[in-house]
Amino acid sequence: MAVHQVLVAASRHDAVTNAALELRSLLRRAGPSEIFSLYYDAELAAEVVPLAEFPRRAGPSGSDVLVFHSAIGEPYVQAFLMERPERVVLVYHNISPAPLFRPYAPQFADVLERGRQELRELAPRVELALAPSQYNADELEEIGFRDVRVAPLVVDVDRLAGSAPDADTTFHLTRNVEGPLVLFVGQLLPHKRPDLLVQAFNVLLTYLEPDAHLVLAGAGTLPLYRRAVWLLAHELNLPTVWFAGRVSDAELVSFYRRADLFVTASEHEGFCVPLLEAMSFDLPVIARAHAAIPETLGGAGLVLPPDDDPVLLAEAMAAVMGDEALHSGLVASGRRRLAEFSPDAARATFLRHLLEVV
Amino acid sequence: MTDEGNGAPVPDVDALVSQLRARVEQREREGHYPSTLTEEMRGHFERIARHRAAVDLDVLRRQLDVLDNASSFDAARIPLGSGMPGGQKLHAAVAKLVSRQTQGALEQVQAFADAARVALRTVLSALEEPDGHVHADLVGQLDSLFERLAAFERGPAAPEAAVADLRARVEVLEASQRPAPPVPAALSPVDYAELAGCFEGASPVLHVASGEGGLLEALAAAGIDASGVEPVAELAERSRARGLPVTHGDPVTWLAATPDESLGAVAAVDPGDRMPPGQVVALVVLARDKLRPGGLLVFHGRNPASLYGLAHRVTGEGRSLHPAYLELALREAGFGDVRTAWHAPPGEGERLHELDADPAMNENIARLNRLLYGPQDYTVVATR
């Protein structure tokens, strides 16, 4: 018997793909396991098998299990899952809320909405639904899934924390960045609210900490939104905001090592891996109380109310920069929280749930 | 704050948020923040986000309507009139004669026109919704372009290839203009035996970019456990042939793979010659983790601030790093104790001599001596 995974799209530096790769390492200890994906980056060609090849590679067996990672809608994948005889286990990474995307990409918003509809249709086919957070689990139960369990993602932050930094990026940061550095890691997408973060940074720089820098590390895949956030920083005359784009692991390590605090203004996360990464680099975390963020932080960060208040966010950044005891307290609580996300424990939890199905 | 008793105090986040809110309100009352600040920034972003490139599609719509009205082909609309006597009858007769062929041709034209109108309508609707037709590949290409721009911004000021090309041309020019000056006696080779003295009690020592292995030999003679990593295969092989424990590899990669707190010292001789500045910084950052507490990071190099040293340096000797640069990088990386020692001052016979009779002149001569005849070498020793 084989346990294969199905993705809609696979790319480097993507949390869903990383989760699938982690699980594959685990599953291959027990038997054959492949990752099938409808779309994938060329650089992942050696890791991922095209979904169209599934019948030839996996055969007609109905005794296998398919682990489907859901994060977006896709009719072809939906039809594939509905037609195949294998049992289906869902890992729900959450689907971003469509209304935030509609002003910038109406068709993409349609895809997100269709994803939720497809989940409803898929529910009877799914024998077990796994959610990395209680927040995601609640959504699945509301949609109509019967057997929903919380299983934390396998996140090996030690791998990143132990990696070598990128020499050029470290050199650039050493040479050009003086003063406190605020770091955000995540895609420049509407639900992550980098626009609010830039507004808060404007307040910080103008009224509270004139030497501060802000790095936003992550790709911006919606051109209209990305352009709007860039223009905002430009028109607010914020020369110390650096949109680093998609970065390599080594570059990310350089940013994490140099940063003084990690801040996200995101208002929708199913889990939010960068929060744990930041803790592993001993960075205090500031975030807002949205979606699964408070649950992932578990009291280990400065969680602000969910309202859109850039001034409050700026004051929080200044407070953490200027108060050594607060800074140390947040770092220490981050370390404690991180210890609760043991990769081995997460692997064991996943396997325990999966064994009940196979 | 409360204390869990197992580490630093845990902040009381709720109380802190209340304090922050109160601080914001107080500062707003005091006029520290403009009362409309938040609304202005929000409104500003909304205006930017709503902005779309204006395309006047009404003209295209009207032209398509005209096309719709003109796209009905019928043999009855082909004029038969003629100015010649009997011409109209002739045209009608010819039209009747070829009516079958005319109808066939008209039907083909009609089919083409219908298809073209549908295609143009589709193009129009795509233009009305620009987000709907931006090809994914194009978006990807734009992303790649922005990423390359970002990488360029992060990278060194000049591309490596351009710098190498420039350096090669400068070397050719220098060689054509003047013969390379001989190495003066004052610029003696690095005194490895003296340098090895820095590492007493610091085993094991890792020498990065260990070159010909001179320092490793001196360390072995002093009874200090040491090994090297050398990026040039030929040099590494030459060292190994002399029985020295040298591995061929990239020093930064090698150091990254070394267990934390496992080294007593890390040494680099002429770091600017052997590594670009970015690699030196990476080396400093990594060494901090790989050295045990109290461990040493030692840089020995040529002093670029010594004009005498520069004037007598052979062409193409490399890019000496200023010790102040290394001191800054070391302090930024968290090394607590950073000290610089100077070596190889030019001989007294080389320096300008003081004139006993004129104190003011002597002061100037002393200043010139400091400027021109500074020590040629330095050693920066940083303690973790």
Side-chain angles (χ1 to χ4, degrees):
Chain A
M1 193 200 69
V3 180
H4 297 302
Q5 298 180 81
V6 175
L7 306 182
V8 171
S11 63
R12 288 270 180 223
H13 312 297
D14 165 54
V16 177
T17 308
N18 287 344
L21 289 168
E22 277 283 354
L23 285 185
R24 189 185 62 178
S25 303
L26 180 66
L27 293 168
R28 280 186 173 173
R29 293 185 203 169
S33 180
E34 297 290 350
I35 297 172
F36 293 90
S37 185
L38 184 59
Y39 310 106
Y40 56 88
D41 285 350
E43 58 182 319
L44 281 172
E47 303 280 357
V48 176
V49 182
L51 188 60
E53 287 189 26
F54 186 90
R56 189 175 64 78
R57 296 285 289 263
S61 169
S63 63
D64 293 347
V65 172
L66 292 178
V67 176
F68 171 51
H69 294 262
S70 169
I72 196 169
E74 173 49 59
Y76 181 87
V77 176
Q78 177 79 355
F80 168 86
L81 293 168
M82 296 300 280
E83 288 166 8
R84 290 296 306 180
E86 290 84 359
R87 285 166 292 165
V88 176
V89 171
L90 176 79
V91 177
Y92 182 50
H93 296 267
N94 215 303
I95 296 175
S96 303
L100 287 169
F101 285 77
R102 195 160 294 289
Y104 308 99
Q107 292 192 337
F108 187 69
D110 290 344
V111 170
L112 294 171
E113 271 179 4
R114 195 166 62 222
R116 288 183 185 277
Q117 181 57 35
E118 286 171 359
L119 270 183
R120 280 186 198 92
E121 293 161 9
L122 193 63
R125 273 281 286 128
V126 171
E127 294 198 15
L128 170 66
L130 298 176
S133 61
Q134 187 60 49
Y135 175 82
N136 286 7
D138 292 345
E139 265 196 16
L140 288 177
E141 282 172 353
E142 198 177 319
I143 287 171
F145 283 83
R146 293 159 299 178
D147 190 357
V148 181
R149 323 267 180 92
V150 175
L153 286 180
V154 180
V155 183
D156 190 357
V157 291
D158 289 342
R159 184 189 58 77
L160 192 64
S163 301
D166 177 66
D168 285 342
T169 307
T170 302
F171 176 64
H172 176 88
L173 291 168
T174 306
R175 188 180 60 178
N176 297 331
V177 178
E178 292 177 11
L181 174 62
V182 179
L183 177 64
F184 164 73
V185 177
Q187 294 193 60
L188 289 194
L189 290 175
H191 65 293
K192 307 263 185 192
R193 296 300 310 275
D195 57 300
L196 181 62
L197 182 55
V198 169
Q199 290 173 44
F201 185 74
N202 178 46
V203 177
L204 181 74
L205 200 73
T206 309
Y207 301 100
L208 301 167
E209 177 50 72
D211 294 328
H213 290 251
L214 170 65
V215 168
L216 299 102
T221 45
L222 291 188
L224 284 176
Y225 181 73
R226 177 181 59 198
R227 199 175 307 129
V229 179
W230 282 14
L231 275 175
L232 179 68
H234 180 71
E235 293 188 7
L236 290 173
N237 190 24
L238 302 174
T240 56
V241 172
W242 181 8
F243 293 98
R246 183 176 289 136
V247 296
S248 67
D249 280 355
E251 290 166 327
L252 196 55
V253 170
S254 295
F255 288 129
Y256 273 127
R257 285 195 178 183
R258 171 59 185 84
D260 294 282
L261 67 159
F262 181 93
V263 181
T264 175
S266 179
E267 58 188 55
H268 188 268
E269 298 288 349
F271 185 78
C272 198
V273 172
L275 297 176
L276 302 190
E277 290 175 350
M279 291 175 190
S280 75
F281 284 89
D282 281 348
L283 292 182
V285 173
I286 300 175
R288 297 193 300 149
H290 280 288
I293 289 173
E295 186 185 343
T296 302
L297 284 174
L302 175 46
V303 181
L304 300 174
D307 46 346
D308 289 7
D309 189 344
V311 181
L312 185 67
L313 191 50
E315 286 279 4
M317 288 189 252
V320 176
M321 286 173 186
D323 185 336
E324 201 170 317
L326 173 60
H327 188 284
S328 309
L330 289 171
V331 168
S333 57
R335 277 189 208 143
R336 282 191 286 270
R337 178 60 175 160
L338 195 60
E340 294 168 21
F341 285 97
S342 147
D344 285 339
R347 290 184 189 108
T349 304
F350 176 81
L351 279 183
R352 196 173 62 245
H353 291 315
L354 192 66
L355 281 173
E356 292 181 27
V357 179
V358 301
Chain B
M1 290 191 187
T2 56
D3 194 335
E4 283 189 350
N6 58 347
V10 178
D12 182 342
V13 172
D14 291 339
L16 182 61
V17 170
S18 299
Q19 287 172 18
L20 290 172
R21 271 208 188 288
R23 191 179 300 166
V24 170
E25 287 167 8
Q26 184 187 349
R27 287 182 168 170
E28 282 174 347
R29 278 197 305 274
E30 293 170 350
H32 185 74
Y33 297 127
S35 58
T36 57
L37 176 64
T38 303
E39 285 69 28
E40 278 181 9
M41 284 195 297
R42 184 182 300 135
H44 192 62
F45 179 70
E46 284 173 359
R47 278 193 297 280
I48 294 171
R50 274 201 306 268
H51 174 76
R52 302 286 186 272
V55 179
D56 187 0
L57 297 176
D58 287 341
V59 175
L60 189 53
R61 279 192 208 96
R62 283 196 294 274
Q63 287 171 340
L64 274 177
D65 290 342
V66 172
L67 195 61
D68 282 343
N69 294 331
S71 300
S72 177
F73 301 99
D74 190 340
R77 289 166 56 196
I78 299 175
L80 299 175
S82 173
M84 293 173 62
Q88 187 168 351
K89 281 187 180 174
L90 179 63
H91 283 306
V94 171
K96 190 173 182 185
L97 192 65
V98 297
S99 62
R100 194 183 178 89
Q101 288 76 12
T102 305
Q103 190 58 34
L106 285 177
E107 284 171 3
Q108 287 183 40
V109 171
Q110 185 69 57
F112 172 79
D114 289 346
R117 279 161 50 219
V118 169
L120 288 171
R121 287 281 176 204
T122 307
V123 170
L124 177 62
S125 66
L127 287 174
E128 286 170 334
E129 182 45 82
D131 294 330
H133 68 90
V134 176
H135 198 279
D137 286 349
L138 180 60
V139 174
Q141 287 170 20
L142 279 173
D143 276 344
S144 300
L145 187 62
F146 285 127
E147 283 156 21
R148 259 179 281 148
L149 281 172
F152 179 74
E153 188 187 343
R154 288 196 293 278
E160 206 166 290
V163 172
D165 178 54
L166 183 62
R167 181 173 295 133
R169 281 190 282 160
V170 168
E171 284 173 5
V172 169
L173 180 67
E174 285 180 344
S176 69
Q177 295 297 312
R178 61 180 168 82
V183 180
L187 192 67
S188 59
V190 176
D191 187 341
Y192 289 121
E194 184 189 349
L195 185 58
C198 295
F199 299 93
E200 194 177 334
S203 297
V205 177
L206 177 67
H207 184 190
V208 295
S210 52
E212 301 274 2
L215 177 59
L216 289 174
E217 276 182 333
L219 289 168
I224 296 166
D225 176 22
S227 59
V229 56
E230 168 54 48
V232 178
E234 190 185 337
L235 291 177
E237 184 53 43
R238 223 183 288 167
S239 297
R240 278 200 295 272
R242 284 158 48 213
L244 297 169
V246 174
T247 306
H248 170 226
D250 172 58
V252 170
T253 309
W254 180 263
L255 197 58
T258 303
D260 284 355
E261 301 193 354
S262 63
L263 294 172
V266 174
V269 176
D270 290 334
D273 292 350
R274 305 300 313 278
M275 291 179 276
Q279 261 202 330
V280 174
V281 171
L283 174 71
V284 169
V285 173
L286 281 170
R288 183 197 54 195
D289 296 337
K290 308 305 174 184
L291 289 169
R292 62 175 179 250
L296 305 175
L297 176 53
V298 178
F299 287 108
H300 182 88
R302 308 293 187 191
N303 177 18
S306 168
L307 296 182
Y308 176 86
L310 282 174
H312 290 84
R313 196 151 297 176
V314 291
T315 303
E317 193 173 15
R319 305 157 292 179
S320 299
L321 288 178
H322 198 288
Y325 170 87
L326 292 169
E327 288 172 10
L328 174 70
L330 288 160
R331 290 206 173 88
E332 285 292 316
F335 284 89
D337 185 23
V338 181
R339 297 174 193 212
T340 300
W342 303 97
H343 312 284
E348 274 305 312
E350 302 279 357
R351 294 160 63 87
L352 301 175
H353 298 291
E354 293 184 357
L355 303 169
D356 292 340
D358 189 343
M361 178 65 83
N362 285 342
E363 173 66 19
N364 287 337
I365 287 172
R367 288 168 65 182
L368 277 173
N369 273 334
R370 281 196 298 274
L371 179 68
L372 298 173
Y373 298 98
Q376 297 175 80
D377 293 356
Y378 64 84
T379 307
V380 180
V381 180
T383 307
R384 181 182 179 241

